[in-house]
Each structure stands twice: as structure tokens, then as C-alpha cells.
Tab-separated table of all heavy atoms in Angstrom:
chain	number	residue	atom	x	y	z
A	1	LYS	N	99.908	115.510	121.924
A	1	LYS	CA	98.841	114.533	121.698
A	1	LYS	C	98.066	114.904	120.433
A	1	LYS	O	97.062	115.617	120.477
A	1	LYS	CB	97.887	114.480	122.899
A	1	LYS	CG	98.571	114.268	124.239
A	1	LYS	CD	99.318	112.936	124.312
A	1	LYS	CE	99.939	112.739	125.688
A	1	LYS	NZ	100.707	111.468	125.761
A	2	ASN	N	98.541	114.451	119.311
A	2	ASN	CA	97.824	114.719	118.055
A	2	ASN	C	97.787	113.459	117.195
A	2	ASN	O	98.126	113.474	116.014
A	2	ASN	CB	98.477	115.875	117.287
A	2	ASN	CG	99.945	115.622	116.977
A	2	ASN	OD1	100.569	114.709	117.523
A	2	ASN	ND2	100.507	116.421	116.083
A	3	HIS	N	97.342	112.353	117.792
A	3	HIS	CA	97.363	111.062	117.117
A	3	HIS	C	96.429	111.017	115.911
A	3	HIS	O	96.575	110.143	115.051
A	3	HIS	CB	96.983	109.957	118.109
A	3	HIS	CG	97.866	109.918	119.333
A	3	HIS	ND1	99.225	109.735	119.238
A	3	HIS	CD2	97.592	110.061	120.648
A	3	HIS	CE1	99.750	109.748	120.450
A	3	HIS	NE2	98.779	109.962	121.333
A	4	TRP	N	95.470	111.926	115.834
A	4	TRP	CA	94.552	111.944	114.699
A	4	TRP	C	95.272	112.257	113.384
A	4	TRP	O	94.746	111.976	112.305
A	4	TRP	CB	93.457	112.986	114.937
A	4	TRP	CG	94.001	114.381	115.104
A	4	TRP	CD1	94.285	115.274	114.123
A	4	TRP	CD2	94.351	115.022	116.344
A	4	TRP	NE1	94.792	116.439	114.645
A	4	TRP	CE2	94.838	116.312	116.011
A	4	TRP	CE3	94.303	114.626	117.679
A	4	TRP	CZ2	95.284	117.199	116.989
A	4	TRP	CZ3	94.730	115.515	118.642
A	4	TRP	CH2	95.218	116.784	118.304
A	5	VAL	N	96.471	112.825	113.500
A	5	VAL	CA	97.237	113.174	112.295
A	5	VAL	C	97.509	111.938	111.435
A	5	VAL	O	97.613	112.021	110.209
A	5	VAL	CB	98.557	113.864	112.699
A	5	VAL	CG1	99.477	114.041	111.497
A	5	VAL	CG2	98.256	115.213	113.344
A	6	TRP	N	97.606	110.768	112.092
A	6	TRP	CA	97.845	109.539	111.337
A	6	TRP	C	96.713	109.244	110.344
A	6	TRP	O	96.940	108.578	109.324
A	6	TRP	CB	97.962	108.334	112.283
A	6	TRP	CG	99.186	108.306	113.150
A	6	TRP	CD1	99.227	108.539	114.495
A	6	TRP	CD2	100.528	108.000	112.766
A	6	TRP	NE1	100.516	108.403	114.970
A	6	TRP	CE2	101.340	108.071	113.921
A	6	TRP	CE3	101.123	107.679	111.548
A	6	TRP	CZ2	102.700	107.837	113.900
A	6	TRP	CZ3	102.488	107.439	111.518
A	6	TRP	CH2	103.271	107.521	112.682
A	7	PHE	N	95.514	109.749	110.620
A	7	PHE	CA	94.333	109.290	109.882
A	7	PHE	C	93.586	110.383	109.114
A	7	PHE	O	92.767	110.051	108.250
A	7	PHE	CB	93.343	108.623	110.852
A	7	PHE	CG	93.986	107.617	111.770
A	7	PHE	CD1	94.216	107.925	113.109
A	7	PHE	CD2	94.358	106.374	111.298
A	7	PHE	CE1	94.805	107.010	113.958
A	7	PHE	CE2	94.949	105.444	112.138
A	7	PHE	CZ	95.178	105.757	113.476
A	8	ASP	N	93.813	111.650	109.440
A	8	ASP	CA	92.964	112.692	108.839
A	8	ASP	C	93.591	113.368	107.618
A	8	ASP	O	93.056	114.360	107.122
A	8	ASP	CB	92.609	113.750	109.886
A	8	ASP	CG	93.820	114.554	110.344
A	8	ASP	OD1	94.954	114.226	109.916
A	8	ASP	OD2	93.642	115.502	111.141
A	9	GLY	N	94.717	112.874	107.137
A	9	GLY	CA	95.336	113.446	105.948
A	9	GLY	C	96.222	114.638	106.212
A	9	GLY	O	96.742	115.252	105.260
A	10	SER	N	96.442	114.984	107.481
A	10	SER	CA	97.271	116.150	107.804
A	10	SER	C	98.731	115.958	107.388
A	10	SER	O	99.444	116.941	107.133
A	10	SER	CB	97.210	116.435	109.303
A	10	SER	OG	95.898	116.738	109.716
A	11	LEU	N	99.172	114.709	107.306
A	11	LEU	CA	100.559	114.450	106.909
A	11	LEU	C	100.830	114.938	105.488
A	11	LEU	O	101.970	115.243	105.138
A	11	LEU	CB	100.877	112.953	107.008
A	11	LEU	CG	100.975	112.364	108.419
A	11	LEU	CD1	101.202	110.860	108.347
A	11	LEU	CD2	102.105	113.020	109.214
A	12	TYR	N	99.772	115.049	104.680
A	12	TYR	CA	99.948	115.508	103.308
A	12	TYR	C	100.118	117.021	103.227
A	12	TYR	O	100.321	117.568	102.138
A	12	TYR	CB	98.748	115.082	102.455
A	12	TYR	CG	98.463	113.605	102.480
A	12	TYR	CD1	97.163	113.126	102.540
A	12	TYR	CD2	99.505	112.674	102.457
A	12	TYR	CE1	96.892	111.759	102.568
A	12	TYR	CE2	99.252	111.310	102.482
A	12	TYR	CZ	97.944	110.855	102.543
A	12	TYR	OH	97.688	109.509	102.563
A	13	GLU	N	100.036	117.692	104.368
A	13	GLU	CA	100.214	119.147	104.406
A	13	GLU	C	101.601	119.535	104.915
A	13	GLU	O	101.851	120.694	105.214
A	13	GLU	CB	99.143	119.777	105.297
A	13	GLU	CG	97.718	119.482	104.828
A	13	GLU	CD	96.675	119.946	105.836
A	13	GLU	OE1	97.074	120.524	106.866
A	13	GLU	OE2	95.471	119.727	105.585
A	14	CYS	N	102.481	118.544	105.009
A	14	CYS	CA	103.824	118.801	105.547
A	14	CYS	C	104.858	118.800	104.425
A	14	CYS	O	105.910	118.166	104.512
A	14	CYS	CB	104.169	117.734	106.591
A	14	CYS	SG	105.511	118.203	107.704
A	15	GLY	N	104.536	119.501	103.360
A	15	GLY	CA	105.481	119.641	102.257
A	15	GLY	C	105.224	118.720	101.089
A	15	GLY	O	105.556	119.056	99.949
A	16	LEU	N	104.664	117.534	101.344
A	16	LEU	CA	104.404	116.570	100.276
A	16	LEU	C	102.898	116.330	100.167
A	16	LEU	O	102.244	116.024	101.160
A	16	LEU	CB	105.102	115.234	100.562
A	16	LEU	CG	106.632	115.211	100.539
A	16	LEU	CD1	107.139	113.817	100.889
A	16	LEU	CD2	107.173	115.647	99.180
A	17	ASN	N	102.356	116.443	98.952
A	17	ASN	CA	100.947	116.121	98.761
A	17	ASN	C	100.762	114.604	98.764
A	17	ASN	O	101.727	113.843	98.868
A	17	ASN	CB	100.411	116.742	97.468
A	17	ASN	CG	101.203	116.289	96.241
A	17	ASN	OD1	101.779	115.203	96.215
A	17	ASN	ND2	101.230	117.139	95.221
A	18	GLN	N	99.531	114.164	98.660
A	18	GLN	CA	99.231	112.736	98.772
A	18	GLN	C	99.953	111.924	97.692
A	18	GLN	O	100.460	110.835	97.954
A	18	GLN	CB	97.729	112.496	98.683
A	18	GLN	CG	97.332	111.037	98.913
A	18	GLN	CD	95.834	110.838	98.975
A	18	GLN	OE1	95.078	111.799	98.853
A	18	GLN	NE2	95.392	109.608	99.180
A	19	LYS	N	100.022	112.451	96.482
A	19	LYS	CA	100.673	111.742	95.389
A	19	LYS	C	102.152	111.533	95.686
A	19	LYS	O	102.684	110.421	95.547
A	19	LYS	CB	100.494	112.533	94.087
A	19	LYS	CG	101.179	111.912	92.889
A	19	LYS	CD	100.996	112.790	91.651
A	19	LYS	CE	101.774	112.222	90.469
A	19	LYS	NZ	101.625	113.081	89.251
A	20	ASN	N	102.841	112.598	96.095
A	20	ASN	CA	104.273	112.488	96.379
A	20	ASN	C	104.538	111.662	97.635
A	20	ASN	O	105.535	110.942	97.711
A	20	ASN	CB	104.885	113.882	96.532
A	20	ASN	CG	105.263	114.490	95.211
A	20	ASN	OD1	106.191	114.045	94.551
A	20	ASN	ND2	104.521	115.505	94.794
A	21	PHE	N	103.633	111.765	98.613
A	21	PHE	CA	103.789	110.972	99.831
A	21	PHE	C	103.654	109.483	99.506
A	21	PHE	O	104.446	108.652	99.989
A	21	PHE	CB	102.741	111.388	100.861
A	21	PHE	CG	103.043	110.914	102.257
A	21	PHE	CD1	103.758	111.706	103.142
A	21	PHE	CD2	102.617	109.663	102.690
A	21	PHE	CE1	104.045	111.270	104.426
A	21	PHE	CE2	102.885	109.214	103.972
A	21	PHE	CZ	103.601	110.019	104.847
A	22	SER	N	102.687	109.130	98.680
A	22	SER	CA	102.495	107.734	98.288
A	22	SER	C	103.686	107.227	97.480
A	22	SER	O	104.145	106.091	97.668
A	22	SER	CB	101.207	107.588	97.474
A	22	SER	OG	100.088	107.984	98.233
A	23	LEU	N	104.171	108.073	96.583
A	23	LEU	CA	105.337	107.696	95.790
A	23	LEU	C	106.546	107.448	96.689
A	23	LEU	O	107.326	106.510	96.472
A	23	LEU	CB	105.649	108.798	94.768
A	23	LEU	CG	106.820	108.541	93.819
A	23	LEU	CD1	106.573	107.296	92.977
A	23	LEU	CD2	107.040	109.755	92.917
A	24	MET	N	106.688	108.268	97.711
A	24	MET	CA	107.788	108.094	98.671
A	24	MET	C	107.669	106.742	99.386
A	24	MET	O	108.664	106.022	99.534
A	24	MET	CB	107.756	109.235	99.690
A	24	MET	CG	108.773	109.114	100.808
A	24	MET	SD	108.504	110.368	102.091
A	24	MET	CE	106.948	109.800	102.814
A	25	ILE	N	106.470	106.388	99.817
A	25	ILE	CA	106.262	105.119	100.515
A	25	ILE	C	106.608	103.939	99.611
A	25	ILE	O	107.289	102.986	100.029
A	25	ILE	CB	104.809	105.004	101.012
A	25	ILE	CG1	104.516	106.098	102.049
A	25	ILE	CG2	104.559	103.622	101.607
A	25	ILE	CD1	105.385	106.035	103.278
A	26	TRP	N	106.171	103.983	98.344
A	26	TRP	CA	106.487	102.900	97.418
A	26	TRP	C	107.996	102.811	97.181
A	26	TRP	O	108.559	101.718	97.059
A	26	TRP	CB	105.755	103.097	96.094
A	26	TRP	CG	104.312	102.718	96.155
A	26	TRP	CD1	103.229	103.552	96.133
A	26	TRP	CD2	103.785	101.398	96.274
A	26	TRP	NE1	102.060	102.847	96.230
A	26	TRP	CE2	102.368	101.507	96.314
A	26	TRP	CE3	104.350	100.123	96.350
A	26	TRP	CZ2	101.527	100.401	96.423
A	26	TRP	CZ3	103.517	99.022	96.466
A	26	TRP	CH2	102.131	99.165	96.493
A	27	GLY	N	108.660	103.965	97.115
A	27	GLY	CA	110.109	103.968	96.946
A	27	GLY	C	110.820	103.355	98.133
A	27	GLY	O	111.799	102.612	97.976
């Protein structure tokens, strides 16, 4: 149960920073 991960920016700590994560989404 860690649904807050969707919103608190923790996903950017899983190897990809915010810039690369955003670039991945656009790709």
C-alpha cells in the first residue's frame, strides 16, 4: 500500500530523474 508514490515524485527516484521520465512519457 504505497499509492502516494503516484503523486509525491518518488517515481523519479527509480533510476530516471524527472526530465528523463517526462521524455520517456512523450516518447
Side-chain angles (χ1 to χ4, degrees):
K1 308 298 182 182
N2 57 347
H3 304 301
W4 60 86
V5 171
W6 291 108
F7 312 105
D8 67 355
S10 298
L11 289 176
Y12 305 139
E13 301 172 2
C14 199
L16 293 178
N17 57 28
Q18 185 174 0
K19 178 182 176 181
N20 276 291
F21 196 92
S22 299
L23 182 60
M24 175 188 69
I25 296 299
W26 282 109

